[in-house]
Structures are given as structure tokens and as C-alpha cells.
């Protein structure tokens, strides 16, 4: 894809293909900070029939509009069989972390109909990149209505969120995408573990293996009702301090990872019904919290299937195997997901996930998720196992 031109991305402070020849460029920021007074004060120009709006995530109506735009126009898999169906509760959770900026929830409306036709968001995050801890923005939910595609609206949305992040004196960002852009800091593979194989085959997510019958396949993925690890239970507020210590210690080994405070752990990792599930292993004798595991809930719309309309999917989030073998810990998580009626459990090959994927009968997905940093050059791409960051 090096020959492919990136008219917009070539203008941005991101690793450029042409940098390859320039091996002596150091890793780190590409551009210096700009004095706040020099940051463009007014929004970028939109095509004349569109206008900017700030979406108030505390408003039911605004959330309904955001939900409607995304559920009909957001990310689909390569075969256009599934489309992410982020729930309103999930979006509120994803967009209001401690210290969030309301004006980083950016919409575009058609002036006449006032219809929401595009969206992009940022939330603040403290992320360590190698030895540097950087306050940055996590960019997500970039979406242009299907009817307005290929009109170069995305670069305007990206420049506008960049401008608003700059106004808060922040100069870096992290984002992920299924598409290849200049230039990934890491490229990960996603894996799927069937929990409801019959439904997955009926919707075309999985195919029956040549030498396998349906009943053999159902038996292959069967899970017990009960977890096996003594002290395995749902996380509670009283666990926040111990989970924070456990997680901070664990994430220190990765090249890119969030730096979580107790407030972050309380916000991002306490169970929230239909949004995030989290579990601890508390040693019955010592009362020590030795392990942690979590997943988030992100259903996908099944596009054009009479029998089913939604695929209930769980996504591996942050997991720490301390005293429990990671395959045993994650198998207990699979058992909980199956008990909560999930159809599939997804995971990326990041952190130590490779240590359980094959053993727990995950199969490889058909695409990749690329990780990006804005305004940070990293000459050598990272291996997925060096990544300790999960974006929603
Ligand atoms: C210091 C703070 C910095 C903050 C900002 C950091 C950067 C944040 C960056 C954003 C991170 C978002 C992360 C995130 O949300 C998670 S990735 C999910 C993105 N959303 C979707 O895939 C939803 C369905 N697709 C769409 O809505 C449209 O196709 C979108 C809106 C994707 C593109 O709309 P379009 O109508 O199809 O296309 P044009 O308007 O004509 O524009 C074409 C240009 O857009 C470039 N493009 C395409 N997809 C992209 C993507 N996923 N990231 C970045 N750039 C993307 C493309 O390379 C081309 O530029 P080039 O000509 O240079 O190649
Ligand atoms: C991360 N966050 C930014 C959303 C996002 N954007 N683009 C994506 C491309 C892949 C994945 C992904 C991540 C982990 C995973 F286990 C499966 C995935 O996609 C399966 C294929 N698919 C796409 C849509 N419906 C199904 C997420 C994303």
C-alpha cells in the first residue's frame, strides 16, 4: 500500500512511509506543542449545508441520535454481515470517564433537516509509551452517514477534534482502526471463541467444519455451569485499591499501556450491567486479590438475517493472571459469559492473550486491528504482545 496516496494523512504528524529512509529520526513526538494562543480558535469549515454541533451525552435525545447514527452507519466486518451495535449505556460509559471534555463529543448536522450525519469523539487518557507517560486523547466513534461517504468529510472531523484537543494543551492521541493508515505502531489479530455454536453457524459467523456434525460442534464448545477457581467472584467497589495495585504492576511490562488511578479503575472496571463485567480471584486464606479479568459487551447487528437480528458478543478487556494459570482464569470468564447468554467471546492477540487463545478453542478472525499514535514516531512497530492498551 506504500504507493497508495494519503492526501490527508501525508499532511499529519504521524509516522510516514517516506520516513523509512530516514532511520536516524528519533522515536518520540513529531511536532512541538503550540502556544494555546496560536491554536486555531474557530472551527474548521464544513460544506455549506452542514453545521457543527456538540452532542450532550447527558441528554437522552442526543444519545438516541448518536445511537441511531452508529447502529446504522458504523463499523461493519469485511463481508458486511455484521455491524457494531454499541448500546446507549455503553456509549455513555465510553464517553464520560473522569476528566472528560463535553466539547470533544463532536457531531455534524444537516442545516435543513438538523439530522445528525457524522460524529467523532475524544476522551482524555494517561498512556505510557515506553518510558514516557503522556496525557493524550483517545479518539473513537468516527462515523459518516453512508449517504455522505467519500466526500472528504472524515479529514475535517479529524482536524476539528485535533483542534479541540490542542485547545486543552494536549498534543498526542491514540486510536485503532481496521484499515491500514500511515503508520500502525502495532497490528493485532482478533480471535473468536464460540459460546453458542449453533447460532453462530445459523447467522453465517462460523461454518460447520467438513468432518464435524452440528452435535459434535456443540459438544466441542460446551462449558460447565460452575467456575473452578476458588475465590473467583464478581469485582466489588471494596476491591478497587487492590485491583489498581495489581493492574498497575501488571501493565508496567508492556510498551504501550494506560496508567490507571483508583478513580480510573473504579470508572472503567467496576461491573456495569450490559456494559462491563469484571472478576477478581480473592485467596480465601490470605484475602489477597491475586488475579483479575474483565470483558465488555458489544453486540453486533446481524445484517439481513430473518432468524436473528443481533449477535451478543463479549470482548476481552483487561486481565491479570497472578496466582491462577491464565487459561484457567479465562476459562472461568468464558463460563460466566456463557451463563450470561453471550454467543461469542472475542479477544485480540495483545498482552498475554496468546497464552490462552488456542488452548481455550479460540479461532482466528478474518481481519486485523491496527493501533496508531498521533504525533509520536515509533521506528520499530511493536509486537501485539507488547501492547497493554484496549480501546473500545
Ligand atoms: C493531538 C490530538 C489528535 C486527535 C486526532 C488523532 C487522529 C484520529 C484519526 C481518526 C481515528 C478514528 C478511530 C475510530 O473511530 C475507530 S475506526 C472506525 C472508523 N469508523 C468506521 O469505520 C465507520 C464506518 N465508516 C465511516 O463512517 C467512514 O467510512 C469513515 C468516517 C471512517 C471515513 O469516511 P469516508 O467518507 O469513507 O472517507 P472520506 O471522508 O472521503 O475521507 C477519506 C480519508 O479518511 C481516511 N480514513 C478512512 N477511514 C479512516 C479511519 N478509520 N481513521 C482515520 N482515517 C480514516 C482515509 O484514509 C482518507 O484519508 P487519506 O486520503 O489521507 O488516505
Ligand atoms: C476497537 N474500536 C475502535 C472499534 C473498531 N473499529 N474498527 C474495528 C475493527 C475490528 C474490531 C475488532 C476488535 C476486536 C475483535 F475481537 C473483533 C473486531 O472486529 C471483528 C470484525 N467486525 C468488525 C465489525 N463487526 C465485526 C474493532 C473495531
Amino acid at each position: 500500500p506504500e504507493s497508495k496516496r494519503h492526501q490527508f494523512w501525508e499532511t499529519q504528524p504521524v509516522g510516514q512511509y517516506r520516513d523509512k529512509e530516514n532511520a536516524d529520526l528519533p522515536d518520540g513526538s513529531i511536532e512541538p506543542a503550540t502556544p494555546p494562543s496560536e491554536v486555531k480558535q474557530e472551527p474548521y469549515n464544513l460544506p455549506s449545508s452542514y453545521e457543527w454541533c456538540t452532542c450532550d451525552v447527558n441528554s437522552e435525545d442526543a444519545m438516541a441520535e448518536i445511537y441511531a447514527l452508529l447502529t446504522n452507519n458504523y463499523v461493519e466486518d469485511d463481508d458486511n454481515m455484521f455491524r457494531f451495535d454499541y448500546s446507549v449505556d455503553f456509549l455513555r460509559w465510553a464517553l464520560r470517564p473522569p476528566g472528560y471534555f463535553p466539547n470533544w463529543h463532536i457531531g455534524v448536522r444537516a442545516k435543513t433537516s438538523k439530522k445528525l450525519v457524522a460524529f467523532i469523539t475524544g476522551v482524555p487518557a494517561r498512556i505510557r509509551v515506553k518510558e514516557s507517560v503522556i496525557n493524550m486523547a483517545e479518539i473513537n466513534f468516527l462515523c459518516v452517514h453512508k449517504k455522505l461517504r467519500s466526500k472528504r468529510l472524515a479529514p475535517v472531523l479529524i482536524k476539528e477534534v485535533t483542534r479541540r484537543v490542542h485547545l486543552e494543551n494536549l498534543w498526542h492521541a491514540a486510536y485503532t482502526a481496521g484499515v491500514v493508515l500511515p503508520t500502525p505502531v502495532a497490528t493485532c489479530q482478533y480471535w473468536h471463541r464460540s459460546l453458542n455454536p449453533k447460532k453462530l453457524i445459523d447467522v453465517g459467523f462460523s461454518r460447520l467444519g467438513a468432518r464435524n456434525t452440528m452435535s459434535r460442534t456443540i459438544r466441542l464448545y460446551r462449558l460447565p455451569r460452575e467456575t473452578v477457581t476458588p475465590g473467583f467472584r464478581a469485582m466489588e467497589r471494596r476491591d478497587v485499591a487492590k485491583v489498581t495495585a495489581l493492574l498497575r504492576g501488571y501493565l508496567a511490562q508492556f510498551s504501550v499501556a494506560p496508567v490507571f488511578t483508583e478513580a480510573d479503575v473504579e470508572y472503567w472496571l467496576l461491573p456495569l450491567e450490559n456494559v462491563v463485567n469484571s472478576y477478581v480471584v480473592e485467596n480465601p486464606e490470605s484475602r489477597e486479590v491475586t488475579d483479575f479479568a474483565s470483558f465488555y459487551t458489544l453486540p453486533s447487528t446481524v445484517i439481513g438475517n430473518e432468524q436473528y437480528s443481533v449477535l451478543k458478543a463479549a470482548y476481552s478487556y483487561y486481565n491479570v493472571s497472578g496466582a491462577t494459570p491464565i487459561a484457567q482464569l479465562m476459562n472461568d470468564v468464558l463460563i460466566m459469559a456463557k451463563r450470561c447468554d453471550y454467543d461469542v467471546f472475542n479477544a485480540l492477540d495483545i498482552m498475554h492473550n496468546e497464552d490462552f487463545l488456542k488452548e481455550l478453542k479460540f479461532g482466528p478472525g478474518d481481519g486485523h486491528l491496527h493501533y496508531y499514535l498521533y504525533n509520536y514516531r515509533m521506528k520499530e512497530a511493536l509486537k501485539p504482545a507488547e501492547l497493554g492498551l484496549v480501546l473500545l
Side-chain angles (χ1 to χ4, degrees):
E2 304 212 344
S3 56
K4 206 178 88 182
R5 293 191 52 67
H6 289 287
Q7 295 277 352
F8 166 68
W9 280 109
E10 284 169 356
T11 70
Q12 297 297 296
V14 291
Q16 301 289 343
Y17 296 130
R18 59 174 174 271
D19 292 351
K20 280 253 185 329
E21 297 93 57
N22 231 342
D24 54 12
L25 287 166
D27 279 8
S29 293
I30 294 170
E31 271 180 355
T34 315
S37 58
E38 285 176 34
V39 176
K40 190 174 184 311
Q41 298 299 306
E42 63 289 335
Y44 280 90
N45 290 335
L46 282 166
S48 58
S49 49
Y50 300 103
E51 62 190 13
W52 294 111
C53 72
T54 295
C55 298
D56 175 5
V57 295
N58 297 308
S59 141
E60 292 294 333
D61 294 349
M63 284 312 298
E65 285 188 287
I66 295 165
Y67 173 80
L69 175 71
L70 295 176
T71 194
N72 291 309
N73 300 282
Y74 201 49
V75 185
E76 297 174 7
D77 66 309
D78 293 347
D79 303 324
N80 306 100
M81 293 173 62
F82 308 99
R83 184 167 51 244
F84 285 136
D85 181 30
Y86 287 90
S87 70
V88 167
D89 288 344
F90 188 106
L91 292 166
R92 255 208 201 101
W93 171 68
L95 297 177
R96 295 190 306 180
Y100 81 95
F101 298 96
N103 74 340
W104 289 9
H105 305 148
I106 306 169
V108 173
R109 290 186 189 286
K111 274 180 185 159
T112 47
S113 65
K114 296 299 177 199
K115 198 169 175 303
L116 188 69
V117 295
F119 191 56
I120 189 167
T121 68
V123 292
R126 191 170 319 97
I127 293 177
R128 178 180 50 75
V129 183
K130 300 205 171 157
E131 287 72 41
S132 313
V133 176
I134 303 173
N135 286 312
M136 61 171 83
E138 282 177 2
I139 306 301
N140 211 340
F141 305 111
L142 167 63
C143 183
V144 167
H145 193 286
K146 284 173 181 252
K147 291 209 173 69
L148 298 176
R149 296 280 170 86
S150 308
K151 296 173 178 301
R152 310 301 294 178
L153 261 176
V156 184
L157 282 152
I158 294 166
K159 287 189 291 191
E160 181 59 15
V161 74
T162 303
R163 186 186 71 85
R164 297 191 190 188
V165 173
H166 284 167
L167 286 173
E168 303 296 342
N169 198 23
L170 294 169
W171 306 97
H172 300 89
Y175 51 104
T176 56
V179 293
V180 179
L181 304 163
T183 299
V185 295
T187 292
C188 310
Q189 234 197 327
Y190 38 79
W191 293 68
H192 313 289
R193 206 285 183 185
S194 297
L195 298 175
N196 182 350
K198 180 170 178 337
K199 178 173 175 182
L200 294 181
I201 288 164
D202 289 346
V203 302
F205 183 93
S206 321
R207 280 180 307 287
L208 208 48
R211 292 179 303 287
N212 291 323
T213 60
M214 181 62 85
S215 60
R216 230 191 74 71
T217 302
I218 290 169
R219 197 172 338 111
L220 173 69
Y221 292 114
R222 192 186 308 270
L223 289 162
R225 286 287 300 174
E226 299 307 319
T227 56
V228 304
T229 308
F232 181 93
R233 61 171 171 78
M235 180 184 177
E236 297 166 24
R237 194 172 296 277
R238 62 189 170 90
D239 302 313
V240 165
K242 290 179 180 172
V243 168
T244 305
L246 187 69
L247 200 49
R248 286 173 70 101
Y250 188 77
L251 291 175
Q253 69 188 292
F254 304 109
S255 297
V256 174
V259 178
F260 283 130
T261 64
E262 287 191 9
D264 295 322
V265 169
E266 182 171 13
Y267 186 83
W268 287 120
L269 296 169
L270 267 183
L272 195 58
E273 189 172 4
N274 256 338
V275 172
V276 56
N277 286 45
S278 59
Y279 306 93
V280 295
V281 175
E282 179 184 358
N283 181 303
E285 278 74 51
S286 68
R287 324 287 294 156
E288 265 312 289
V289 169
T290 54
D291 307 84
F292 174 81
S294 57
F295 63 82
Y296 59 84
T297 297
L298 169 53
S300 274
T301 300
V302 181
I303 301 169
N305 182 292
E306 289 71 49
Q307 202 181 355
Y308 297 98
S309 59
V310 180
L311 194 63
K312 191 174 177 185
Y315 286 75
S316 178
Y317 198 25
Y318 289 98
N319 308 307
V320 179
S321 64
T324 308
I326 193 165
Q328 179 187 320
L329 176 68
M330 293 310 293
N331 202 62
D332 277 349
V333 175
L334 292 177
I335 290 167
M336 297 310 291
K338 174 65 182 171
R339 250 170 49 190
C340 298
D341 207 24
Y342 287 84
D343 299 318
V344 65
F345 190 97
N346 293 328
L348 292 164
D349 58 355
I350 62 174
M351 293 186 268
H352 294 283
N353 291 356
E354 281 185 304
D355 297 346
F356 63 78
L357 290 170
K358 291 197 177 83
E359 186 176 344
L360 297 189
K361 301 172 189 164
F362 283 73
D366 60 2
H368 296 88
L369 187 68
H370 306 278
Y371 277 69
Y372 300 95
L373 290 174
Y374 186 93
N375 189 22
Y376 193 96
R377 175 178 294 108
M378 197 181 286
K379 274 194 299 292
E380 280 286 298
L382 300 174
K383 294 190 285 294
E386 295 176 282
L387 274 180
L389 175 66
V390 178
L391 297 190
L392 302 170

